[in-house]
Amino acid sequence: MAEELKSFPLSEITLHSSKSDCWLTIHGKVYDVTNFLEDHPGGEDVLLESAAKGDATNDFEDVGHSSAATSMLSSYLIGTLDTSSSKNGGVVQQSSKGVKKGDGNVATKTATLERQGSSSSSMRKFIVPLISLVVAFVAWYYYSHSPKKACCSHH
């Protein structure tokens, strides 16, 4: 029989988003990744930003982590997401039994619905470079088409 895991509400998980105390929720499971921050190949800021959101499932899936990275998660597992409160933004209600038994079907449905519900991470990866490009173009256009003042005219 699987070890009983503590259930945490999303409001508690988001309180753990600092370098000294960092928790993430991925596929309805809660991980304490504080000791992994410095070793994360993508940098600690990525994990801290995801921790502040509370649910890092979309961020984790968008990156396309290797199977080795996915298997590392189990060593940081501390509990499950308590989905009994209504503040979880439409996350599928998972029974704690389903999570503890490792019912991949529940986790798959949750991940699918979360991806459909929020694509802000994907949009941000597109919008920020686009805005930067527009600003750079406007600056170039302004400086290249402004009237040139002759510094040393000899008339």
Side-chain angles (χ1 to χ4, degrees), residues 3-17 21-34 50-51 54-57 72-83 88 91 94 99-100 107 110 114:
E3 176 184 328
E4 285 289 316
L5 294 173
K6 185 172 180 182
S7 185
F8 300 97
L10 190 60
S11 59
E12 181 178 348
I13 295 165
T14 57
L15 297 175
H16 301 270
S17 59
D21 185 25
C22 185
W23 294 8
L24 296 174
T25 302
I26 301 172
H27 295 298
K29 295 181 180 178
V30 181
Y31 303 92
D32 182 348
V33 295
T34 308
S50 293
D55 192 334
T57 303
M72 284 178 65
L73 284 175
S74 62
S75 62
Y76 299 102
L77 182 65
I78 60 169
T80 60
L81 176 62
D82 175 8
T83 57
N88 289 327
V91 174
Q94 295 180 350
V99 172
K100 289 175 191 158
T110 302
E114 286 172 344

Side-chain angles (χ1 to χ4, degrees), residues 119-132:
S119 62
S120 64
S121 177
S122 299
M123 286 299 288
R124 185 174 48 231
K125 291 177 184 175
F126 173 74
I127 295 293
V128 171
L130 181 63
I131 290 172
S132 299

